[in-house]
DNA sequence: TGACTAAGGTCTACTTAGTAG
DNA sequence: CTACTAAGTAGACCTTAGTCA
């Protein structure tokens, strides 16, 4: 039985989805509905995404990300610290963004 | 007729693919083959990805990213400066990574 | 060469109906 | 309620066969 702890490259989206949803304190169905899915199929689809059975497309991930305040790239990031960085980046004041971008030069 | 300059949320993958491929000086076919595609269909598929006709799955993007030295998240990032940051992040020494992560606290 | 396209078969996401805790 | 699943339909991708500069 494959657990979530490993995080192979292929199901990183499923892992991040679960992490972010639980952190927001929402059910699979609730999140799906808030992301614009029809209530009749929201539970099933979100569950399929979270279990790695199916992969949401970019538009769907963008809607989910809007609800959870995460950029789409967050769901594709393997490194935990980098993922957290992406989730926080947009909220930073311009001065801090500039400071960060200076470091990579 | 939507051009590449705008960058709508839906074809961001196509835009980043083209940018990264041109920067690497590869043809669509060359990149596809280097990413493990069968030479007979490499040109068509890479062209479809780059034109936004179809979207590559995560495994495909990971292979392309390996060739172009970009993380998968790079191809999903709208903000140009943030995309560039992601492309450079992995190459940074640990000291600089820590410095960046300090700023967001 | 390199970029690009239409069409059809193949594959996968999505919908429906339903189970179990 | 919540999480989860099987099965079939609908829709997306992938392959083939080409065009054009």
């Amino acid at each position: 039985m494959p657990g979530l702890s490993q995080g192979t490259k292929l199901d990183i989206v499923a892992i991040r989805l679960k992490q972010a949803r639980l952190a927001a304190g929402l059910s699979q169905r609730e999140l799906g509905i808030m992301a614009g899915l029809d209530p009749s199929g929201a539970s099933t689809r979100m569950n399929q995404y979270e279990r790695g059975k199916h992969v949401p497309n970019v538009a769907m991930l963008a809607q989910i990300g809007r609800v959870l305040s995460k950029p789409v790239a967050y769901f594709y990031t393997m490194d935990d610290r980098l993922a957290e960085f992406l989730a926080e980046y947009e909220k930073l004041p311009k001065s801090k963004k500039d400071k960060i971008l200076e470091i990579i030069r």
Side-chain angles (χ1 to χ4, degrees), chain A:
Chain A
M1 175 179 174
L4 286 172
S5 54
Q6 281 300 331
T8 68
K9 221 164 199 170
L10 291 167
D11 53 3
I12 182 61
V13 175
I15 293 165
R16 293 281 176 241
L17 274 175
K18 179 156 198 170
Q19 282 181 340
R21 177 181 64 83
L22 292 178
L26 297 169
S27 72
Q28 294 172 345
R29 185 168 187 268
E30 285 171 337
L31 174 55
I33 292 171
M34 291 175 77
L37 291 180
D38 189 291
S40 68
S43 173
T44 297
R45 279 178 67 177
M46 293 308 299
N47 186 268
Q48 287 166 338
Y49 296 153
E50 215 165 85
R51 301 281 294 180
K53 179 71 183 297
H54 294 310
V55 182
N57 63 28
V58 182
M60 187 72 245
L61 266 185
Q63 289 176 304
I64 295 170
R66 186 173 44 74
V67 174
L68 300 175
S69 298
K70 312 280 186 191
V72 174
Y74 167 87
F75 298 104
Y76 291 98
T77 301
M78 294 291 296
D79 184 281
D80 286 334
R81 298 204 306 172
L82 186 55
E84 193 52 40
F85 169 82
L86 286 172
E88 299 299 326
Y89 178 80
E90 289 176 358
K91 305 169 190 169
L92 294 177
K94 191 175 184 305
S95 60
K96 288 195 174 183
K97 289 185 183 180
D98 291 338
K99 207 168 182 178
I100 289 166
L101 295 169
E102 267 177 34
I103 295 175
I104 68 168
R105 294 183 194 285

